[in-house]
Amino acid sequence: MASDFSALSSGLSELMVLRLLQRQEMYGYEIVQAIAERTAQVLSPGEGVVYPLLHALEKSGALKSRRKTVGGRSRIYYSLTARGAKRLAAMADHWSALNGAVGMVLHAV
Amino acid sequence: MRFENLREVLLASGIAPRHVRRYLAELSEHLDDLTRQQRDAGYDAEDAASRARARLGSDTELASAMLQHKQFRSIATRAPWAVFLLLPPVAGIAAAFALIAPLVLAAHIGRMTSPHGILAPLWFQQTASAVTLLGNLVLVPLLAMRFVMLADRQRMARAWPLLAVALLVLLDLQFQADFPPPGHRGGSLGIGAALWLHHPGNLLNTWPLALVQLALTLLPVLYLCWTRKRIV
């Protein structure tokens, strides 16, 4: 049933990834765990699907990446760029407007 | 090997090998983290591995996520006609010029050239002979191999690399260096392409070299046949 509503959540992953990376650099596993935790598992697709999104955002200049070794494990860490910050601000504004508009329809008497 | 089916699906769908490599490497690291998480939660090794793999996503889901992004497709699969039809002759001619240009430059800088030909010292003659040999026997086969491997990496139809190899054969790049003994003026250094078009009779004189060139250029095709059999 959830897949019937996948169109509704398209674009949300990008918004959440950009928001999470605004605070600190993270690697893929951390990002996915943070999304699942902060959305109370409501948004938990196959965890691996986050990587094509990360790569696409990096290619568009919204993210940058670097390989870093922490605790003996080498991982690719992603962080937000200035372009990514602008994109996040625009997406967040759009999402707030959309959320408000949908809310008005759903809660209309 | 981990994700072997996913790798094949992505390559055959046109995703560039470097993007496939990076994706699979990150998936592999993610799977390690998930497996460790499941082990910490108390599952035995087998259960932990299968639960981690399920959480990562099915091959279909993982492939679909990557295939949504058209920018990860390689140029070879986006425009095979440009890579396997236009590029072979252009690459062949460019490589030939790149190979011979340092020699021509050296001849000019060293004032070896004159209207009566080249007055070439022994080192120049030996270098020119080596370059000629390289150009005639190695350059085109290497280019052919490059196109074959390019197509093979993307699991493309055999027709594309065969087309590229056929064009390289028809291009028929020929390097030539003729010099009199050191101290005498004369001689020449040059490259030619598709000479068979204008001077078909020359093939009667140069057929041994042409045959060797042809055989070496067609070698990558054997490689292609062998690898495809291995994959099937």
Side-chain angles (χ1 to χ4, degrees), chain B residues 154-178:
Chain B
Q154 294 282 182
R155 316 299 190 251
M156 296 178 76
R158 281 180 190 168
W160 289 114
L162 288 178
L163 178 65
V165 172
L167 287 168
L168 286 170
V169 167
L170 291 175
L171 184 64
D172 186 31
L173 278 175
Q174 298 277 346
F175 287 69
Q176 199 182 10
D178 291 316

Side-chain angles (χ1 to χ4, degrees), chain B residues 38-85:
Chain B
Q38 296 300 314
R39 290 284 284 163
D40 290 345
Y43 293 99
D44 65 33
E46 197 179 329
D47 274 353
S50 71
R51 288 175 68 90
R53 186 63 185 84
R55 279 186 54 178
L56 192 66
S58 67
D59 278 359
T60 310
E61 205 177 359
L62 295 172
S64 160
M66 193 63 167
L67 295 175
Q68 279 174 19
H69 300 276
K70 297 213 183 309
Q71 70 265 41
F72 295 139
R73 293 186 65 196
S74 68
I75 295 173
T77 52
R78 272 188 283 181
W81 53 270
V83 173
F84 296 99
L85 186 67

Side-chain angles (χ1 to χ4, degrees), chain A residues 90-103:
Chain A
M91 284 185 85
D93 284 348
H94 185 66
W95 172 251
S96 296
L98 203 62
N99 195 27
V102 173

Side-chain angles (χ1 to χ4, degrees), chain A residues 35-104:
Chain A
I35 290 175
E37 189 184 308
R38 288 169 205 197
T39 62
Q41 312 285 337
V42 171
L43 292 172
S44 54
E47 297 193 6
V49 303
V50 75
Y51 293 102
L53 172 62
L54 290 170
H55 298 176
L57 286 170
E58 185 183 9
K59 206 172 166 78
S60 72
L63 299 181
K64 60 183 177 184
S65 72
R66 65 178 178 134
R67 192 164 267 285
K68 198 166 92 171
T69 303
V70 176
R73 291 203 59 186
S74 168
R75 292 187 171 101
I76 296 179
Y77 280 76
Y78 294 88
S79 57
L80 201 66
T81 62
R83 184 183 287 188
K86 277 184 194 165
R87 187 169 172 78
L88 170 62
M91 284 185 85
D93 284 348
H94 185 66
W95 172 251
S96 296
L98 203 62
N99 195 27
V102 173
M104 283 192 282

Side-chain angles (χ1 to χ4, degrees), chain B residues 73-153:
Chain B
R73 293 186 65 196
S74 68
I75 295 173
T77 52
R78 272 188 283 181
W81 53 270
V83 173
F84 296 99
L85 186 67
L86 302 180
L87 193 57
V90 172
I93 291 168
F97 274 106
L99 194 61
I100 209 165
L103 275 178
V104 175
L105 201 65
H108 279 287
I109 291 172
R111 298 179 189 283
M112 297 175 209
T113 54
S114 77
H116 309 292
I118 304 174
L119 180 59
L122 188 60
W123 70 264
F124 185 86
Q125 294 191 15
Q126 287 172 338
T127 310
S129 299
V131 167
T132 301
L133 198 67
L134 199 69
N136 282 333
L137 299 181
V138 179
L139 182 70
V140 176
L142 270 184
L143 282 172
M145 179 56 104
R146 186 80 190 92
F147 283 106
V148 165
M149 291 185 79
L150 191 66
D152 188 47
R153 284 193 320 174

Side-chain angles (χ1 to χ4, degrees), chain A residues 18-37:
Chain A
L18 292 175
R19 180 71 182 92
L20 284 170
L21 293 175
Q22 189 184 30
R23 293 181 181 174
Q24 63 183 97
E25 66 173 4
M26 298 170 104
Y27 57 93
Y29 177 78
E30 275 184 318
I31 294 170
V32 172
Q33 302 311 313
I35 290 175
E37 189 184 308

